Structures are given as C-alpha cells and as structure tokens.
Amino acid sequence: MLNEMAPEDLLRMLEQNKKVHLIDIREDYEFEDGHLPCVHMPMETVFEKADELPRDIPVVIYCQSSKRSSAMAYMLHREKGLNNVYSVRGGYEALAQLAN
C-alpha cells in the first residue's frame, strides 16, 4: 500500500496550519537549493529513526521527484507498520512549480 498526497493538498494543509510532520529526504546539496519548512532527514537516516516518527498526525515525505519518497513511504508502512505516511506526488519539483 502506498499513500500519496497531491502537492496541492500538502500546500493547502500548510497554509491552514494543519498538523503535519513534513520530512525532506533529499541529500544536503538538494536541500540547500530550496525546501519547505520541514525536518531534513536524508533518506539513509529515515528508516533507523522510524520509531521517533509521530503516529497520530500525517507524516509527509518528499524528495526531488517522488521516486525515493514513494519507496520510503512504502517501506515505512510495510516494515514499520506506519499507516500515516504519505509521499508527495511529484516531489519538490511539483511543489516548487505550484509555489511560483
């Protein structure tokens, strides 16, 4: 099972100050090029910190294009039992296009 979230829905949630735990899993150099207000957690660290993620609010993960975040969301659900994890469809590329 893969939970996906449309970039428009994420931006709407952020504008409305809804509770969401947003994680950018891109590498440092990608993060430095631009990001949303979020937790920066490079992909290789996410799985080992999975037990620290909230279970009572949406955990939304994004990468550059959603390839890495989709895989990570799937693995967190499958291996760690997290049902509240979403990948942003289109990743940061889609989010940045909407913001412009």
Side-chain angles (χ1 to χ4, degrees), residues 22-79:
L22 184 59
I23 303 172
D24 184 328
I25 65 168
R26 297 176 301 156
E27 297 297 324
D28 291 340
Y29 71 92
E30 295 172 295
F31 186 79
E32 290 169 5
D33 284 343
H35 59 274
L36 296 176
C38 65
V39 174
H40 181 227
M41 195 181 296
M43 186 171 174
E44 66 272 3
T45 66
V46 175
F47 208 69
E48 65 192 39
K49 295 182 178 182
D51 294 335
E52 299 170 19
L53 298 176
R55 293 180 178 261
D56 58 340
I57 61 172
V59 174
V60 181
I61 300 173
Y62 73 88
C63 62
Q64 193 65 25
S65 67
S66 77
K67 290 180 183 169
R68 291 173 282 176
S69 61
S70 293
M72 183 55 63
Y74 174 77
M75 290 303 293
L76 287 169
H77 170 73
R78 182 174 167 210
E79 300 296 323

